Amino acid sequence: MRFKFCILAILASLFCEAQYSFSGFINPEEGQNTVYLSIVEDYRKMSGVYSEQIIAKTTADASGFFEFKGNMLDTDNRIYRIHVDKCSDNQQDVNHFNGHCNDSEELLFIANNTDTINLPFSFGNQIFCKVESNNPKANAFLKIDSLKNEMRFAYNEVRTEANRKLNNKKWFSALQAYGEALNEPIAELYIYSYLSDRSSDLHSYYVEDLKENNYYTGLKQRLVNSYPNSTYTRQYINELSADRYMLDSSLTNNESKSNTLLYFILSASILLNGFLVFRHWKQKKSQTKNLKEKLSKQEQVVLEYILENKTNKDIAEALFLSVSTVKSHTNNIYKKLNVQSRDEAKSLFS
């Protein structure tokens, strides 16, 4: 009898297909009952909501429960996102242009085709704040975001240039070391994309670090070993090669600038461009001042945070306001500036 049971168990395992299950709860009172599952294959598009990344959607029940399940995912770990927003299907392509969406809640996690992911309510019925999974790497992004929040707190304790420089150096190294300690190279890419972002204050440290730190070669090898055929590995190798090429070109050009005539022409060009930039800056400053005068003092404060790429949640925490109040201020700002999105608002002050 025992022998027959073993044979049946083996046969059953052969015919059973691996299956994933991603489930959780959203707040039904928010009017957001459609839930989306996306795969993130471009680590530069981890933050935001992109329509082309969506692979499935479902509707939450009256209690807010939702579930995605099947066997169509990759057998290796990949980066996935679950998000909810108030945009209709017809509005998504417009509202999610370049990943922008005002009314969105999202969560990044690592999973594969055999994983079970549960996203329960956290304190105060907050959603997407906790990940329960059989995959120990699933909550790596939540851990990184927690560390980044500590970093933001350290920056806000003393807002001086000296403190900012000290924190830049400290947190650049701390984030890098933390990512490596996670022993999951695609989680490291989350940190790498943040540190190497050209719009970040930390980018200058990245450029200097790239000159002599072997960390980047090590990350490349870890990706090749764990994910030899993934888009993440190919993207990282291409970006790293491009950055090193530009760095080498910059160093070579600096060493070759010994021609007096070329230096004179360059200096004259810089002076002329400087004059034109200064004149444009004065005009732009006058225009932006007039635009800001249309806003209330509170709206001006919210606008400054928007220009710093802060999320509604970040702004609400910084100003001790509710997220809905921040959204109300944001909508008033859009109306007064005659814009439709954050990107359009930022373009007025860039």
Side-chain angles (χ1 to χ4, degrees):
M1 179 65 72
R2 182 180 298 177
F3 176 75
K4 290 181 178 179
F5 178 79
C6 291
I7 294 297
L8 289 173
I10 293 172
L11 290 174
S13 67
L14 291 174
F15 289 100
C16 287
E17 293 183 341
Q19 200 173 61
Y20 68 89
S21 173
F22 305 156
S23 62
F25 287 87
I26 62 172
N27 191 341
E29 297 177 0
E30 293 289 328
Q32 303 166 321
N33 63 341
T34 303
V35 189
Y36 300 88
L37 174 65
S38 300
I39 182 169
V40 181
E41 295 180 310
D42 180 348
Y43 58 76
R44 292 292 177 187
K45 290 185 176 181
M46 289 195 200
S47 177
V49 176
Y50 298 86
S51 299
E52 72 272 14
Q53 296 177 342
I54 297 173
I55 56 176
K57 69 177 181 178
T58 189
T59 302
D61 64 19
S63 69
F65 177 79
F66 67 90
E67 183 178 23
F68 295 98
K69 61 181 179 180
N71 60 357
M72 66 178 181
L73 303 186
D74 202 294
T75 55
D76 291 331
N77 282 343
R78 292 289 183 266
I79 302 170
Y80 295 95
R81 176 195 296 110
I82 285 179
H83 83 269
V84 292
D85 62 46
K86 295 178 182 177
C87 304
S88 69
D89 289 340
N90 294 331
Q91 294 173 318
Q92 274 192 0
D93 288 339
V94 176
N95 291 342
H96 294 173
F97 181 68
N98 285 337
H100 174 70
C101 184
N102 279 331
D103 299 318
S104 175
E105 295 283 351
E106 61 179 332
L107 174 75
L108 285 170
F109 58 94
I110 294 173
N112 59 56
N113 197 51
T114 63
D115 284 350
T116 298
I117 302 287
N118 183 37
L119 310 176
F121 281 126
S122 62
F123 179 76
N125 279 351
Q126 293 295 312
I127 65 172
F128 302 163
C129 295
K130 184 179 180 181
V131 177
E132 298 174 348
S133 174
N134 61 323
N135 187 334
K137 306 297 177 62
N139 64 350
F141 298 122
L142 280 180
K143 293 179 180 179
I144 294 169
D145 284 337
S146 177
L147 185 62
K148 287 167 68 176
N149 284 332
E150 289 183 32
M151 179 186 74
R152 294 187 184 100
F153 179 77
Y155 275 76
N156 289 328
E157 276 190 313
V158 182
R159 295 190 177 186
T160 65
E161 182 66 14
N163 182 61
R164 185 182 67 81
K165 288 181 178 179
L166 286 173
N167 274 299
N168 280 348
K169 186 174 182 180
K170 169 190 171 183
W171 286 103
F172 186 95
S173 299
L175 284 166
Q176 222 175 50
Y178 187 79
E180 187 172 358
L182 288 172
N183 196 29
E184 176 48 73
I186 58 175
E188 282 188 78
L189 287 176
Y190 186 42
I191 292 175
Y192 168 77
S193 65
Y194 174 70
L195 298 180
S196 62
D197 185 355
R198 286 178 169 79
S199 65
S200 168
D201 288 342
L202 298 172
H203 183 258
S204 60
Y205 285 85
Y206 164 69
V207 172
E208 290 299 315
D209 201 49
L210 190 59
K211 293 178 183 178
E212 53 188 32
N213 194 341
N214 291 326
Y215 167 82
Y216 305 97
T217 302
L219 175 54
K220 173 183 172 181
Q221 193 58 52
R222 289 190 287 277
L223 284 165
V224 170
N225 291 341
S226 300
Y227 304 98
N229 301 314
S230 76
T231 57
Y232 309 127
T233 302
R234 292 194 295 272
Q235 182 182 358
Y236 177 77
I237 290 174
N238 291 337
E239 283 194 6
L240 187 62
S241 297
D243 284 348
R244 281 179 167 160
Y245 176 79
M246 287 189 292
L247 184 61
D248 291 341
S249 298
S250 176
L251 292 173
T252 302
N253 289 337
N254 287 336
E255 291 172 359
S256 65
K257 289 179 181 179
S258 58
N259 188 292
T260 305
L261 179 60
L262 180 60
Y263 179 79
F264 174 80
I265 295 173
L266 180 63
S267 299
S269 175
I270 291 172
L271 288 173
L272 178 60
N273 287 333
F275 171 75
L276 294 175
V277 168
F278 177 74
R279 187 172 66 177
H280 176 73
W281 173 79
K282 286 193 69 176
Q283 294 172 346
K284 191 74 174 179
K285 186 176 181 182
S286 176
Q287 292 171 357
T288 55
K289 182 180 179 182
N290 293 336
L291 287 173
K292 288 184 178 180
E293 287 177 351
K294 296 180 180 180
L295 309 178
S296 68
K297 288 185 178 180
Q298 184 72 304
E299 289 165 355
Q300 289 179 19
V301 174
V302 172
L303 176 61
E304 291 301 321
Y305 280 106
I306 290 175
L307 297 180
E308 295 175 4
N309 294 319
K310 302 295 184 183
T311 65
N312 287 342
K313 186 178 179 182
D314 291 337
I315 298 172
E317 291 175 352
L319 300 180
F320 301 100
L321 301 173
S322 68
V323 173
S324 61
T325 301
V326 173
K327 289 180 180 178
S328 176
H329 284 317
T330 302
N331 289 331
N332 289 336
I333 291 169
Y334 288 175
K335 290 177 184 178
K336 292 180 181 181
L337 298 183
N338 194 26
V339 297
Q340 302 296 320
S341 68
R342 285 183 171 223
D343 288 339
E344 288 185 22
K346 287 188 283 186
S347 69
L348 294 176
F349 302 94
S350 60

